[in-house]
């Protein structure tokens, strides 16, 4: 297979709340205006297991992976973002009260799989400002499980 390098043009960020607890949603709401997505390619820890029997090399077993806590997703600060993120957080809060999870997806138009994870969004704060600059901010989502690539979902307009 020939290598085809990809650009980030056309990527999307989506979220959805479980309709059935423990089951990944099938339809996602696409969040407009995202401009940067965090890396979620955590290096697995290793735990040294070397004994006195080893004469040349240390030995290791697999440890835990660390997603690094809350992840920043970059946006231009707009009135639309205020409204949208209030809804994301409200949907998350309602779902949490019903023991349901909120899912997020990073979608790329040229890939057969999308990157999904369950996460807890934080309320939107103030992102800072500088003289003569674009007003930008980050929203934060803390991954809580079910992280990885799965069959892509096709975005549709209007959701």
């Amino acid at each position: 297979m020939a290598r085809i390098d990809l650009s980030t043009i056309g990527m999307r960020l989506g979220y959805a709340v479980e309709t059935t607890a423990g089951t990944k949603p099938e339809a996602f709401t696409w969040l407009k205006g995202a401009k940067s997505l965090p890396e979620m390619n955590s290096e697995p820890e290793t735990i040294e297991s070397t004994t006195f029997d080893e004469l040349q090399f240390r030995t290791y077993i697999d440890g835990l992976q660390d997603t690094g806590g809350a992840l920043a997703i970059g946006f231009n600060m707009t009135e639309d973002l205020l409204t949208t993120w209030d809804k994301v957080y409200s949907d998350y809060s309602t779902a949490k009260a019903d023991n349901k999870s909120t899912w997020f997806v990073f979608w790329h138009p040229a890939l057969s799989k999308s990157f999904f994870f369950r996460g807890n969004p934080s309320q939107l704060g103030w992102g800072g400002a500088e003289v003569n600059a674009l007003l930008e901010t980050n929203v934060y989502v803390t991954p809580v499980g079910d992280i990885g690539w799965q069959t892509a979902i096709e975005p549709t307009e209007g959701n």
Side-chain angles (χ1 to χ4, degrees), residues 60-118:
Y60 297 87
I61 61 172
D62 291 339
L64 299 174
Q65 289 183 295
D66 183 3
T67 58
L71 304 173
I73 300 171
F75 281 85
N76 291 341
M77 185 64 212
T78 64
E79 189 67 33
D80 187 47
L81 177 62
L82 281 172
T83 303
T84 298
W85 201 253
D86 280 349
K87 178 159 178 28
V88 170
Y89 190 78
S90 174
D91 290 350
Y92 154 74
S93 297
T94 301
K96 184 177 177 181
D98 291 336
N99 292 316
K100 295 177 182 174
S101 294
T102 302
W103 288 71
F104 293 85
V105 59
F106 301 158
W107 180 85
H108 191 286
L111 296 175
S112 62
K113 293 184 177 183
S114 294
F115 197 83
F116 294 89
F117 63 99
R118 285 186 303 120

Side-chain angles (χ1 to χ4, degrees), residues 7-52:
S7 79
T8 57
I9 295 170
M11 289 187 67
R12 296 203 183 186
L13 164 68
Y15 88 100
V17 169
E18 293 175 342
T19 52
T20 303
T23 303
K24 182 183 71 147
E26 295 295 321
F28 283 72
T29 298
W30 301 101
L31 303 173
K32 294 184 188 258
K35 60 191 295 179
S36 68
L37 301 175
E39 180 177 350
M40 290 189 66
N41 192 20
S42 56
E43 176 183 353
E45 274 190 35
T46 53
I47 301 167
E48 186 182 346
S49 59
T50 309
T51 66
F52 291 127

